[in-house]
Amino acid sequence: MTPRTKRAAVRAGTAILLAGALTALAGCAGGGGGNASGGPITMYTWVSSQSDRDQWQGFIDLGKKVDPKLDVTIEGPSFNDYWTKVKTRLSGSNPPCLLTTQAARAQELSGLLMPLTDLIKKYKLDTSKFDASMLKGMTVDGSIRAIPYDAEPIVLYYNADAFQKAGLALPSATYTREQFLSDAKKLTTGDHKALAIEPGFFIPNAWAIADGAEAVKGGKLDLTNSKLVDSVQSYFDLVSKEGIAKAPEAADGSDVGQSAFTSGASDMLIEGPWMYGTFAAAAKFKLGVTIVPTESGDAKGMTAGSGFGIAKNCKDPDSAFKAIMAMTDTSVLKGQAEKRGIVPSRPDAQSAWAEGKSAEAYTAVQALLKDAKAQLTTPTWNQVETLFTQYGVEGYRGDKTAKDVLTTIQNSVGQ
């Protein structure tokens, strides 16, 4: 699971019961997923918490200001359950029209999502106004399957107070691996490690992509290519060789590393910009944000994000697409950036994310988005994440090499 997946799992609470009740009511009411006779369009999505529901409702409420006829209802299970239950829900009676997906899961849902090429042309949606890396992440077999609403480049958070206390210059929007290691070693003292590491492949993949390595080639899993192996090994080495971080446990959630960072037990953490508000509120130090360090020091981002798609069996795709256009309008994405902290998928809305953030955080995000790649995946990606979480611990401890770990996963997944 990605860090976002694990966060969603731990947030689940009474809101899931509310979502289930609303789902049942929607089914009993016989509301349409979206049909030619009018009526509300059902959006099937993940609802792990009241925060999730509020986010979706925010898209709808702001979208109504763009299109007063917008009529969308929300339905769905927790994040973890969504990826399996969506298939069952679409095969049942009165299926929903709108679906949400992450770019990293678009391949997984490709059999359910309608190609949007014709609708994009019909309604003259200018896709050049959206982040190119996110559109690529949501393209399957040459056709866009979802319109992204955010584009979140993975960043390096750091404790600015700890840097200054150690006499270190604060990182800028350029940050070399050499300087990063030098800083981390000066910050590491005894049991205090400079970097907190989360389990799973999501962050090591962001580290690798920052230096030009990729795990997928031609739509196929390519975990054993030498560039990726070397990049992952360099990430393992941060623990086993450089000694600047502790090995994560396979059972850890992403909250373990996050808590280590915000409590001051560690000084740096690689995560998504969607965590800025949470970290700023929890940390008792000045929060710094820079790029994921690269050999050259240049900013090269891995973007993660989500978007709205249309089910292949939607009865009224035109109405569904109009809803998507309204909910991804520049004004809507600006509003969601201000209220929910998303980095908008439309560059002309991204300045709204800067509100309440430090100047260097916005500079780092903008630098990363100028040369960004989405995390491209395969339909078997969830297995990759699960196995890396399991076997990666041995890599951090130095018991196995990156080549050993990645070859085992490649062979196990069967691609």
Side-chain angles (χ1 to χ4, degrees), residues 20 23 68-69 82 87 105 134-135 197 232 250 264 280 289 295 349 375-376 402 407:
T23 298
K69 295 181 180 179
Y82 175 78
K87 300 168 187 177
R105 310 293 285 264
M134 286 304 301
L135 284 174
I197 287 182
V232 174
V289 178
E295 288 297 327
Q375 177 183 229
L376 300 182
T407 298

Side-chain angles (χ1 to χ4, degrees), residues 248-388:
E249 297 294 334
D252 287 351
S254 57
D255 59 306
V256 174
Q258 292 168 11
S259 295
F261 173 65
T262 56
S263 69
S266 295
D267 307 304
M268 293 185 280
L269 176 73
I270 299 175
E271 249 294 357
W274 56 83
M275 294 301 296
Y276 186 99
T278 300
F279 290 166
K284 292 181 173 57
F285 53 80
K286 182 180 178 182
L287 184 66
V289 178
T290 186
I291 67 169
V292 174
T294 61
E295 288 297 327
S296 67
D298 296 333
K300 296 180 183 295
M302 183 187 92
T303 49
S306 304
F308 303 111
I310 301 174
K312 280 187 175 179
N313 58 353
C314 173
K315 298 177 182 178
D316 187 5
D318 288 86
S319 293
F321 192 74
K322 290 177 182 177
I324 291 174
M325 290 178 65
M327 293 190 294
T328 57
D329 184 79
T330 298
S331 63
V332 174
L333 300 189
K334 282 185 175 180
Q336 289 292 74
E338 294 168 355
K339 294 181 181 179
R340 310 296 306 179
I342 69 166
V343 177
S345 58
R346 285 181 178 267
D348 62 355
Q350 287 167 1
S351 60
W353 185 81
E355 294 295 324
K357 314 293 191 308
S358 65
E360 87 262 3
Y362 182 60
T363 298
V365 165
Q366 288 298 101
L368 288 163
L369 287 174
K370 287 179 181 178
D371 188 3
K373 291 184 178 180
Q375 177 183 229
L376 300 182
T377 66
T378 64
T380 57
W381 196 256
N382 194 53
Q383 293 173 258
V384 173
E385 277 286 351
T386 300
L387 292 172
F388 193 93

Side-chain angles (χ1 to χ4, degrees), residues 84-312:
T84 53
K85 289 188 175 181
V86 64
K87 300 168 187 177
T88 303
R89 180 66 184 87
L90 287 179
S91 64
S93 60
N94 201 24
C97 254
L98 289 173
L99 303 177
T100 54
T101 185
Q102 293 182 329
R105 310 293 285 264
Q107 292 282 345
E108 187 176 339
L109 297 188
S110 61
L112 309 178
L113 293 167
M114 176 183 295
L116 301 180
T117 306
D118 292 341
L119 289 166
I120 289 171
K121 290 180 179 178
K122 181 177 181 178
Y123 291 100
K124 299 180 181 178
L125 178 64
D126 187 354
T127 55
S128 70
K129 301 299 183 181
F130 291 84
D131 178 78
S133 67
M134 286 304 301
L135 284 174
K136 184 175 181 180
M138 293 184 174
T139 296
V140 180
D141 296 331
S143 63
I144 296 172
R145 303 301 176 97
I147 303 300
Y149 60 76
D150 65 345
E152 316 266 6
I154 307 307
V155 299
L156 175 68
Y157 290 94
Y158 65 91
N159 181 331
D161 292 345
F163 268 69
Q164 291 176 326
K165 184 177 180 180
L168 302 173
L170 299 183
S172 65
T174 59
Y175 200 31
T176 65
R177 295 263 170 98
E178 182 181 11
Q179 187 61 53
F180 162 75
L181 281 173
S182 175
D183 292 342
K185 287 180 178 180
K186 290 175 182 176
L187 291 165
T188 296
T189 55
D191 291 335
H192 178 90
K193 303 296 185 182
L195 179 70
I197 287 182
E198 300 174 354
F201 190 50
F202 184 71
I203 299 302
N205 198 27
W207 174 272
I209 286 176
D211 247 12
E214 296 187 65
V216 174
K217 183 178 180 180
K220 300 291 184 181
L221 202 61
D222 186 29
L223 297 179
T224 56
N225 72 79
S226 60
K227 196 163 188 177
L228 181 68
V229 168
D230 289 346
S231 289
V232 174
Q233 185 62 56
S234 71
Y235 197 70
F236 284 161
D237 287 347
L238 298 180
V239 176
S240 60
K241 181 180 177 182
E242 307 295 349
I244 66 165
K246 295 178 182 178
E249 297 294 334
D252 287 351
S254 57
D255 59 306
V256 174
Q258 292 168 11
S259 295
F261 173 65
T262 56
S263 69
S266 295
D267 307 304
M268 293 185 280
L269 176 73
I270 299 175
E271 249 294 357
W274 56 83
M275 294 301 296
Y276 186 99
T278 300
F279 290 166
K284 292 181 173 57
F285 53 80
K286 182 180 178 182
L287 184 66
V289 178
T290 186
I291 67 169
V292 174
T294 61
E295 288 297 327
S296 67
D298 296 333
K300 296 180 183 295
M302 183 187 92
T303 49
S306 304
F308 303 111
I310 301 174
K312 280 187 175 179

Side-chain angles (χ1 to χ4, degrees), residues 60-100:
I60 296 167
D61 291 345
L62 291 170
K64 285 181 179 178
K65 296 180 180 180
V66 177
D67 180 3
K69 295 181 180 179
L70 181 67
D71 190 3
V72 175
T73 59
I74 306 163
E75 174 189 332
S78 68
F79 183 95
N80 285 346
D81 290 338
Y82 175 78
W83 307 100
T84 53
K85 289 188 175 181
V86 64
K87 300 168 187 177
T88 303
R89 180 66 184 87
L90 287 179
S91 64
S93 60
N94 201 24
C97 254
L98 289 173
L99 303 177
T100 54

